[in-house]
Amino acid sequence: MMELCDTQPPTPIMKITPDAVQYMLLAAQGLLTPLTVPATKADVLDAIRRMGVLQIDTIHIVARSPYLVLWGRLGQYEPTWLDELLAEGALFEYWAHAACFLPSEDYGLFRRRMLSQRVETDSAYQWVRANPEETDAVLARVRAEGPLRVADFDGKGGGGGWWDHKPAKTALECLFDLGHLMIARRERFHRVYDLSERVMRGWDDAATPSAAEVRRELLLRGVRALGAAPARWVPDYYRQKDKRACLAELASLVEEGALHAVEVAGWDEPALVHPDNLGLLEQAEGGALTPTVTTLLSPFDPLVWDRDRAHELFDFFYRIEVYTPAAKRAYGYFTLPILHRGRLVGRLDPKAHRPDSIFEVKAVHLEPGVTPDDGLVAGLAGALRDCAAWHGTPEVIIRQSDPPELAGMLRCTEALRR
């Protein structure tokens, strides 16, 4: 396996088990134990700050991904709180792990990314340079009229670039990538663009940290969000492309004491721990972290978005099959991983039929070797009931399962009995 860098590996401060690494990740992500009181709008912001990033995806088979990620941590909450936090300026949107909602206090880190895009090799910069009239017209309209959507511009395909969008749409997206425009709010999940200086009022580009400072800070935040992690898992959390530089930086952070190295039983590389997680580390070493959550995860949840990490740490091989032809899908179009008491125990293929108030589970599959005991059945039934109620589709219909008896067991639980 890849070491931190070519230097001598750090001396671990203690030794923990792989299970402890799992539980530290769950705790750092807010997935160890459920909330004991109803969620508030402040909890939504706190959850995003804890994760650092909330990935955006528009697939709407059940709730769109960012809302579902939050539900997995908060349970019943009001989805409009996320929209309000963006419109109020507590959050902003930009590219992090992918397109993400981000805490506004982190804007400077991503302003550096915006500014670094303004080079000849960048595709957005190339398009803007090649289409100055369209770009200037879009900017002029936003400046004069205020926040605008793609739908506020005339035109149709033929603009080149991504997906052959109409030129105004391509211009808006390029100007967003380059940091000239930002997302002021969303309306029915459609982006509303405005000038960056009006969205992030008072920002001075002179305060933008250097690329080296950004790399260092995002690595520290990635380690904190992962709980305890080998160095090779860390760069992808914020999609830092220069992995060699990142691994060398992580080694330096350990050497200077900004991060701690921990030995993991059976691993041939240390796990890194942020100082903020030393309390979790002590609990993990003492066996005091007890996962009790049973929930459903978005395919774009930080717990599973790194498919290799999920396979290695949880022995859970997962991929989203939305781009796989129907006849070749093994599990379904948009399967949701099932988290039960610290383990990824299976996946299910749901569809929310809102006009009919039905939450359909086309199939639920447990992992090989997972037994549907009373605790798992009760936990999964409760998660299905709660997820269905949150969607406004309280009637849960389960079509089939693997193992076959699981569907009947779920139907017979008090949580799902009609």
Side-chain angles (χ1 to χ4, degrees), residues 4 10 58 111 119 132 179 206 212 228 242 250 302 313 322 329 355:
L4 288 174
T58 59
R111 185 63 180 170
V119 293
D242 190 342
L250 286 165
L313 188 57
V322 293
R329 290 177 193 144

Side-chain angles (χ1 to χ4, degrees), residues 124-311:
Y125 186 81
Q126 292 170 4
W127 194 94
V128 166
R129 291 288 297 273
N131 299 271
E133 291 185 8
E134 186 66 47
T135 300
D136 290 345
V138 166
L139 272 174
R141 276 200 61 189
V142 174
R143 184 174 290 110
E145 299 177 33
L148 295 173
R149 305 162 302 160
V150 171
D152 296 319
F153 293 84
D154 295 329
K156 55 184 178 180
W162 308 303
W163 306 104
D164 198 30
H165 292 147
K166 64 184 180 183
K169 178 176 175 62
T170 304
L172 288 165
E173 292 182 353
C174 289
L175 291 166
F176 168 78
D177 281 3
L178 299 172
H180 299 292
L181 297 178
M182 291 181 66
I183 310 305
R185 62 183 183 275
R186 282 182 176 256
E187 295 178 356
R188 297 176 64 87
F189 212 67
H190 296 291
R191 287 171 160 182
V192 182
Y193 295 85
D194 199 0
L195 300 177
S196 293
E197 56 265 33
R198 291 202 294 235
V199 175
M200 198 59 61
R201 295 182 182 275
W203 175 259
D204 183 352
D205 275 346
T208 306
S210 68
E213 290 170 327
V214 169
R215 180 176 62 226
R216 173 189 173 93
E217 185 59 29
L218 292 183
L219 289 171
L220 287 168
R221 291 174 186 231
V223 173
R224 184 173 61 194
L226 290 169
R232 58 192 168 81
W233 290 354
V234 178
D236 182 65
Y237 199 84
Y238 284 97
R239 285 281 163 87
Q240 301 201 69
K241 295 179 180 179
D242 190 342
K243 292 189 177 180
R244 179 174 291 275
C246 287
L247 294 174
E249 182 75 31
L250 286 165
S252 296
L253 289 167
V254 173
E255 185 176 346
E256 68 186 62
L259 292 173
H260 303 279
V262 180
E263 185 178 353
V264 182
W267 290 16
D268 59 4
E269 59 189 327
L272 305 183
V273 177
H274 192 281
D276 288 356
N277 288 337
L278 288 178
L280 286 179
L281 179 62
E282 292 178 359
Q283 290 179 279
E285 184 194 28
L289 292 182
T290 304
T292 58
V293 165
T294 301
T295 194
L296 309 177
L297 302 177
S298 162
F300 307 107
D301 193 289
L303 197 72
V304 295
W305 70 26
D306 185 331
R307 311 306 190 203
D308 291 338
R309 167 162 49 84
H311 191 203

Side-chain angles (χ1 to χ4, degrees), residues 28-72:
Q29 286 288 320
L31 286 167
L32 190 75
T33 56
L35 284 183
T36 57
V37 296
T40 67
K41 186 173 173 179
D43 291 322
V44 172
L45 183 56
D46 287 345
I48 297 170
R49 285 172 169 159
R50 181 194 292 258
M51 292 182 285
V53 293
L54 178 59
Q55 184 171 337
I56 301 168
D57 191 86
T58 59
I59 297 173
H60 202 194
I61 301 302
V62 285
R64 289 188 173 94
S65 180
Y67 303 100
L68 187 57
V69 169
L70 291 169
W71 174 83

